[in-house]
Amino acid sequence: MNVPVIAVDGPGGAGKGTLCFSLATQLRWHMLDSGALYRVTAQAASDAGLDFADEGALVSIAEGLDVEFLPAAEGLTRVVLAGRDITDAIRTETCGNKASQVAAMESVRAALLDRQRRMARAPGLVADGRDMGTVVFPEASLKIFLTASAEARAKRRQAQLLARGESATLARLLETIEERDARDRNRAASPLMPAADAIVVDSTGVPAQEVLDTVLSEARNRQLIG
Ligand code: DC
């Protein structure tokens, strides 16, 4: 692979989105939010009234996704499915849980693989997900596994929900996070785990800027950036 890729994996709420957005902005590289692809697949399947046990139908949906990720103001990305803006719809906890269900299916993952790999374009790609360093970009130039305690992740999720005018108790969020972690880590298809050559970064109590500096310094060590 000629195009440099920084793969950032880890559980939900560890700060991958913030880190990847800052990296991509600073380096002027492309960005892949692979979780959004699973969320969009789940949303499209719900909209079509599909039974989530119907794996074949979910694969057809994943293969045929007519989705666009459009840069918007203030670093936001608008997600447009077949001409309809679903940015807010895919960020709900309900959609996240459905995404976790479709993401557990090997055939759905396979259907989304090429779409993800095609995102590796010059000058470089920052890829955010669960299996970026292990499956999608095993040759990535730098692999980061960003983690944090479940409590810290629940608090981060709560702040994100509040910012969108939604609310949820910490206890409920912690429960959801632990459920989703278990599903993502224990599934047979591309389970969430650090690649053997990944650098594990724990963001518990660490300011976002410090996490970014750590990753930039690793990128410099590998001469990915000047
Ligand atoms: O990062 P996120 O919360 O948007 O991801 C939504 C779900 O998709 C989450 O349960 C994990 C799953 N996912 C995955 O299995 N593989 C990826 N590369 C990205 C996300």
Side-chain angles (χ1 to χ4, degrees):
M1 188 194 309
N2 299 322
V3 177
V5 174
I6 299 180
V8 180
D9 292 306
K16 298 188 303 293
T18 306
L19 170 65
C20 289
F21 176 73
S22 305
L23 279 173
T25 307
Q26 188 148 335
L27 303 178
R28 294 172 193 256
W29 285 12
H30 299 283
M31 190 179 144
L32 163 64
D33 176 359
S34 61
L37 284 176
Y38 291 99
R39 286 173 183 263
V40 172
T41 303
Q43 184 67 38
S46 293
D47 290 351
L50 287 190
D51 175 354
F52 274 58
D54 187 346
E55 202 167 324
L58 289 171
V59 168
S60 302
I61 291 263
E63 279 171 347
L65 282 184
D66 170 15
V67 64
E68 284 179 294
F69 294 94
L70 306 173
E74 288 170 32
L76 288 175
T77 301
R78 307 298 314 170
V79 183
V80 178
L81 177 67
R84 191 165 60 93
D85 191 320
I86 56 162
T87 314
D88 296 332
I90 64 160
R91 291 295 156 203
T92 61
E93 288 296 294
T94 310
C95 188
N97 280 322
K98 286 182 179 164
S100 167
Q101 287 173 44
V102 302
M105 297 175 192
E106 177 73 64
S107 53
V108 172
R109 305 192 71 86
L112 293 173
L113 197 54
D114 275 352
R115 197 187 280 265
Q116 296 177 76
R117 290 191 172 144
R118 283 198 302 271
M119 296 287 293
R121 294 193 307 262
L125 177 72
V126 180
D128 169 343
R130 303 293 190 286
D131 61 343
M132 299 296 97
T134 48
V135 176
V136 183
F137 302 109
E139 309 294 326
S141 333
L142 173 59
K143 299 178 186 177
I144 303 293
F145 191 84
L146 188 65
T147 180
S149 70
E151 289 74 16
R153 293 186 286 126
K155 281 192 187 144
R156 193 190 301 265
R157 274 275 188 257
Q158 193 179 41
Q160 286 169 347
L161 288 173
L162 277 177
R164 290 204 305 268
E166 293 169 52
S167 65
T169 65
L170 216 47
R172 176 75 195 113
L173 284 173
L174 196 56
E175 203 179 299
T176 317
I177 277 183
E178 282 170 347
E179 246 171 51
R180 207 184 299 172
D181 276 2
R183 192 169 330 125
D184 293 344
R185 288 200 166 105
N186 298 326
R187 68 186 178 211
S190 311
L192 169 66
M193 61 170 168
D197 50 352
I199 296 168
V200 178
V201 177
D202 189 333
S203 70
T204 311
V206 182
Q209 182 64 46
E210 216 172 290
V211 174
L212 174 64
D213 289 343
T214 303
V215 176
L216 284 172
S217 117
E218 291 292 347
R220 258 180 233 110
N221 289 345
R222 283 169 174 71
Q223 281 151 11
L224 279 180
I225 55 175

